[in-house]
Amino acid sequence: MPLKLIVGPPNSGRAGLLLDSLATRLGESPVLVVPTLDDAYRFEQDLHNRAQAPVLGASITVFRGLFVEVARACGAEHASPLSEAQRLWAVRAAIRRARPRRLGRSAARPGFAIALAELIDDVGGAGLDALSVAGNATAAADGHLSEIARLHAAYAETAAELGRCDEHAIAREATAALRRDPARWGARPVFVYGFDDLSVAQLELVAALAEAAEVTATVTYEDRAALSARASLRQELVDRGGEIIESTTSGEFTRSPALRHLERSFLEPEAGAVEPDDGLVWLEAAGERGQAEQIGQEIVALLDQGVEPDRIAVALRDLDRYGLLYRSVLGAVGIPLAIEARIPLGATATGRCLLALLQARFGTRTAEDVLAFARTPGRMAPGDADWLERSIRRQRLRSAQEVVDAAAASGKRLHGFDALDEAQRPAELLRAAARLAKRIAEYPLLRQAAEPDPERRLELRAGAIAAEALAELAEVGRGQDAASEAIAALEQLRVPLSEGPPDGRVRVTSPYRVRAAFVSHLFVASLQEGEFPRPDRGEPLLSDEQRASLGLAGRVDPAAEERYLFYVCLSRPTERLYLCWRGADEEGVALAPSPFLDDVRELLAPAAGADADAEDPVIERLVRRRSLASGAVPPRPRLAERAAAAATRAAALPIGLSVPAVREHFAGRSLYSASQLEQFRECSYRWFVGHELRPEPLELDREALDAGGLIHAVLERLYAEPPGGDPRPRPQSLEAWRQRATELIAELAPEYRLGGEDPASRAAVSRTELQLRLFLEREAADGSAVEPRPELLEASFGHEGDERSALTIGDFELRGKIDRVDVDGGGRWGILRDYKTSREIQPGAKLEEAGKLQLQLYASALRRLWEIEPLGSVYEPLAAKDSRRARGVLREPEPGELLDAGRYVRTDVLPADEFDAKLAGAEQLATELVGRIRGGDIRRDPLGDECPRYCTFAPICRRERARPDPEEDPEELE
């Protein structure tokens, strides 16, 4: 029987000729072979539309189905085929079995099993089995190839022991059986359409079928540079007896002269240039999301003009990378989508939850694994999950068991976390995990009759795919480490973003899938240098020479392949082609466009009368630009109304408290702290949110807070129990003080969750030791005539149980705690010291400017509550990088000099009347601030009209501000 070939470029009528021929053979049970199941659905529709009636008698399948059909017809016996999950399990088992040496380090990496599976697939597609590979490797005398052959043999042995085989074994058996008895096929005609290349196994089957029946195949080829990558298929079929019965040429597939010219002239050296027309548009955007939004704008306009959604397509060279982005951007404005991308299972909530559970129980066993599980809907109440995250961050929980124990101790339940604990055997564990996968995905729909939305359908697909893979592993898994196998299998699973035929939906697809599509408008996105054309990444396991030694065909020239794929995009749209690229990234950094755009530009000429002053009249006419500042895709009318209402609400600024009960609450408040008033002065809105609403941050800078607490505790103990009885260190006793400080740090660090094996905690302890050592050196060198008193360490007033009452200022009271007071021998004069572990402290002249009141108010408290006249009130800089001299406000003492002038800055020392005025001014400012608090006067009023860089309440107050500086830290908490 003849092998008939219909050869021609895209859009040359080959599909029509093939279908016409098939329609005349319906009574002979013909078989049509197409690349994908979506193509099968489309051809079913085409046959129905041609006949205007149901079409009976024909089978439409893909090559995998054809091999099975031939094997069944010819009586070829074969084992049950391995599923994809089982096949990867067999590959991993083969790696363990073969114990590779040369490839040992590579084999330990997660991607090695995938690369080996792809190589085994190449070998099977070339019609080779394990014996052939071993023989070729031996003949090549190449140790690397010998190890590859051992891995392949181990894979074949593993599959045989399971009583399974892969699809390539079925292909070999089917082809061999057909050659032994061609008559068993029954002379059913076979039609092959839509393939630009075929594997050796597929070519062998086509040739064998041609000996039993009439076979007609279409071949995409014409003697042009753009189609050079497809020359080999035509020659392979001719070498196997193919006869070219029809050579077609490009038809009038479009009304656009520019598109016809591009399709015919791309990469042709003698091609001329034509004026661009409405059939060609160039889109330039800034940023990946910006480009998706720009394409979305154009699609919305096309839909509004009446273009059918399934006549629009977006081609992405890296479809899996951008699929989620386009789903989010285009789906948000109601564009019906068929996103033909596949995302990792772990990118879905169901996949993350299942993997987190397996990792927490059997894998990495980290606290983050438990948290990822808890964050999945239905696994833990949202408030409890927030509590769990806070506990992990603040208590520095590291292991999964620590988190589980903490949750149990607090009565928090992790639903389903123990679902795998009862499994006794590996297969039971895998089946239990499969049931759990479906339960996780289905839980949000429990007892609901509503149709799942796209997000939930994606989760249901993820759950079904994971459950199916785990159930398949349970059929073959024989090792004891079932959990590790499950984790490895799930990490390799991919979930399709869309399912079902693309009818009625805009396709977001790859250039390979768009080859057989019928579209009127095509967007070719991400035409960037390094993306399309894609750079040659090579093959991970074999060089071209080693491939040839094993009997594998050489790889297609990557550059020729990229040229062909771009040509495919040029040839598909019948109305308009959109070539899209990013002129800049999200930060405004310029990006290089694809060189294919230069190739297209060379085929275009300026229109008559074009602007002579334009840098490039063609570009000026074609390009539609979208900058970083451009708005998002315009939503549909209802969404527009909602967005406008939301914007109005968002623009409303806080102007004060208005609820009577709340105003009464604040009006009746009489007790305040200095730090509270400072925070209100810094920004009343930030104070209100932080001090009154008290949002619970999930994570604090725990090491810094704990280190501050530790250093205060050590200094209090050190001065309360001074080494040798001397109230402060002297040069002769400095070493004893240092040693005692080190002992106290070691003793108290565990109370502040510092030290141990954690690197950050150990570093915090080391910093504390250094800060104390430097501070004690300054203390020992101080020649002041004042000394600390134990009863004035952490001197507290106004709190319950304090000896000193609150300080009355006007009609309110102040409470606080003074770190330390040093007094003279007569107990008349004293200086207040406030330990600061922040890197910067304020000089006395800038206290009011920076909103600082604590030093001044505490000095008033010392005078009125302890009847000690303040010499000054200063910050002691424990963590300063530059000058470590104390800063604050000091007065000229009476009588004589009591302080060592070398420890302070002269500009901070004031005459007595100015010093007293500064204290009085602080009390007056505090009174005004208390009045504002009592009156509910809450505004977005940051000090100096500039938000603190460390403020994290931007999403609440919505005030424009600069990006936070990660190097700047807030003042330590009181």
Side-chain angles (χ1 to χ4, degrees), residues 535-851:
D536 181 16
R537 296 186 174 93
E539 185 174 321
L541 295 181
L542 297 180
S543 66
D544 288 344
E545 293 78 9
Q546 289 171 327
R547 286 180 63 87
S549 297
L550 279 187
L552 301 176
R555 295 187 304 129
V556 175
D557 177 22
E561 184 75 0
E562 295 299 305
R563 291 194 297 267
Y564 168 69
L565 291 176
F566 184 69
Y567 164 76
V568 165
C569 296
L570 295 180
S571 69
R572 298 322 302 168
T574 60
E575 295 291 333
R576 186 173 298 151
L577 173 67
Y578 298 81
L579 300 179
C580 317
W581 81 97
R582 305 186 300 276
D585 64 12
E586 284 76 1
E587 302 297 328
V589 178
L591 298 177
S594 167
F596 287 149
L597 292 173
D598 294 331
D599 295 329
V600 172
R601 173 62 188 86
E602 290 177 2
L603 298 174
L604 303 173
D611 185 1
D613 295 330
E615 183 177 345
D616 188 331
V618 173
I619 297 298
E620 290 301 316
R621 174 175 175 175
L622 288 177
V623 177
R624 301 176 186 176
R625 292 185 170 87
R626 185 180 191 281
S627 69
L628 279 171
S630 300
V633 181
R636 298 300 174 93
R638 276 190 70 190
L639 285 177
E641 294 173 7
R642 292 168 57 192
T648 301
R649 293 194 302 271
L653 303 180
I655 56 174
L657 302 178
S658 57
V659 178
V662 175
R663 292 176 64 90
E664 290 176 8
H665 169 77
F666 283 103
R669 184 176 295 178
S670 61
L671 187 62
Y672 297 85
S673 69
S675 63
Q676 179 183 354
L677 297 178
E678 287 182 346
Q679 291 165 11
F680 187 90
R681 176 82 190 287
E682 186 177 46
C683 175
S684 60
Y685 194 82
R686 182 173 184 270
W687 168 84
F688 176 72
V689 173
H691 193 272
E692 300 300 321
L693 301 184
R694 299 179 185 177
E696 286 278 1
L698 292 176
E699 186 169 9
L700 299 172
D701 185 1
R702 177 55 64 185
E703 279 77 20
L705 292 174
D706 287 346
L710 174 61
I711 202 167
H712 277 75
V714 170
L715 286 170
E716 182 184 7
R717 285 276 300 274
L718 194 60
Y719 282 92
E721 305 166 1
D726 200 338
R728 63 184 176 90
R730 313 288 182 184
Q732 63 273 16
S733 62
L734 177 59
E735 187 57 37
W737 281 72
R738 285 175 178 167
Q739 183 175 347
R740 180 56 181 155
T742 301
E743 293 172 356
L744 287 171
I745 290 172
E747 177 186 338
L748 298 176
E751 297 181 18
Y752 292 88
R753 298 176 290 275
L754 295 174
E757 297 301 320
D758 181 66
S761 296
R762 293 172 62 185
V765 170
S766 297
R767 283 195 303 272
T768 301
E769 290 175 348
L770 176 61
Q771 291 169 4
L772 278 174
R773 180 174 63 81
L774 295 174
F775 176 71
L776 293 175
E777 288 176 0
R778 295 197 298 275
E779 286 276 88
D782 189 340
S784 298
V786 291
E787 295 178 343
R789 288 188 179 179
E791 67 272 17
L792 291 175
L793 299 173
E794 300 293 328
S796 183
F797 60 97
H799 298 88
E800 185 177 353
D802 287 346
E803 292 184 7
R804 297 295 191 279
S805 63
L807 175 66
T808 300
I809 302 176
D811 61 350
F812 75 93
E813 294 181 319
L814 183 80
R815 67 182 179 187
K817 182 183 291 187
I818 305 169
D819 287 346
R820 170 180 150 196
V821 180
D822 293 1
V823 297
D824 69 341
R828 177 186 175 190
W829 298 93
I831 182 169
L832 299 88
R833 303 189 187 279
D834 187 64
Y835 304 129
K836 282 294 181 184
T837 55
S838 54
R839 290 195 294 267
E840 295 182 2
I841 59 174
Q842 300 297 329
K846 293 186 177 181
L847 289 176
E848 290 78 8
E849 178 184 332

Side-chain angles (χ1 to χ4, degrees), residues 44 78 110 113 221 279 296 334 357 405 511 560 745 753 837 870 875 887 894 957 963:
E44 286 179 358
H78 58 81
Y221 181 70
L357 173 59
D405 291 344
I745 290 172
R753 298 176 290 275
T837 55
Y875 295 128
R887 302 302 304 267
E894 299 175 7
C957 86
R963 181 179 299 175

Side-chain angles (χ1 to χ4, degrees), residues 920-939:
E923 292 187 26
Q924 177 61 36
L925 178 56
T927 302
E928 294 172 3
L929 295 175
V930 168
R932 284 188 57 193
I933 293 175
R934 288 174 169 174
D937 184 11
I938 307 300
R939 295 172 258 163

